[in-house]
Amino acid sequence: MAKVTGLGGIFFKARDPQALSAWYREHLGLEIGEWGGAMFAEDASRSGYMLWSPFKEDTTYFAPSEKPFMVNFRVDDLDALLAQLREAGQPVDERTEESEFGKFGWVMDPEGTRIELWQPPVEG
């Protein structure tokens, strides 16, 4: 049987795609291509995995965003990135979490989408 083998991308509407891409470039370090998006190549040097997970309709996990989705980005140094975002005056959630799954923090983008930042646990 044919099956899905992973995530191919996240696609969404934006009021101002160019401005939003610029924000992601400036504050999260995404390398935005001429076509307006970012591509992440997998290689053996990166730990972690990608998830697909539906949430209950009444979840508050995406709050304060009112969007029906949340984007999760894998990061190399969560504490440093959160400090950079705070220094730049970005709306960073004061709460962070650490578990066997790694470290998590959150920020809101300019269009009100909650962004989850995830630093995978150290292997070994």
Side-chain angles (χ1 to χ4, degrees):
M1 177 178 123
K3 63 180 179 166
V4 171
T5 60
L7 293 177
I10 299 170
F11 308 98
F12 55 94
K13 296 178 182 180
R15 289 185 303 270
D16 187 341
Q18 289 181 325
L20 193 59
S21 291
W23 184 90
Y24 278 81
R25 179 187 307 111
E26 178 181 350
H27 296 291
L28 298 183
L30 270 65
E31 293 183 24
I32 305 298
E34 289 184 25
W35 52 276
M39 182 183 301
F40 303 97
E42 293 296 328
D43 63 50
S45 69
R46 294 182 356 156
S47 63
Y49 42 83
M50 288 187 230
L51 295 177
W52 176 88
S53 180
F55 281 69
K56 286 188 163 195
E57 186 175 40
D58 61 353
T59 186
T60 58
Y61 193 68
F62 305 165
S65 176
E66 295 181 10
K67 304 273 178 117
F69 64 91
M70 179 180 68
V71 178
N72 171 294
F73 287 107
R74 185 181 338 194
V75 302
D76 59 356
D77 186 338
L78 179 66
D79 294 331
L81 182 54
L82 292 175
Q84 288 170 206
L85 289 163
R86 286 185 180 103
E87 179 70 24
Q90 298 305 308
V92 174
D93 193 320
E94 292 301 316
R95 180 178 61 96
T96 59
E97 291 182 7
E98 188 166 356
S99 71
E100 68 271 21
F101 303 112
K103 295 169 66 174
F104 298 86
W106 298 269
V107 64
M108 296 287 281
D109 80 11
E111 293 203 3
T113 302
R114 185 166 171 88
I115 305 301
E116 185 171 64
L117 304 170
W118 169 54
Q119 181 178 332
V122 176
E123 292 183 5

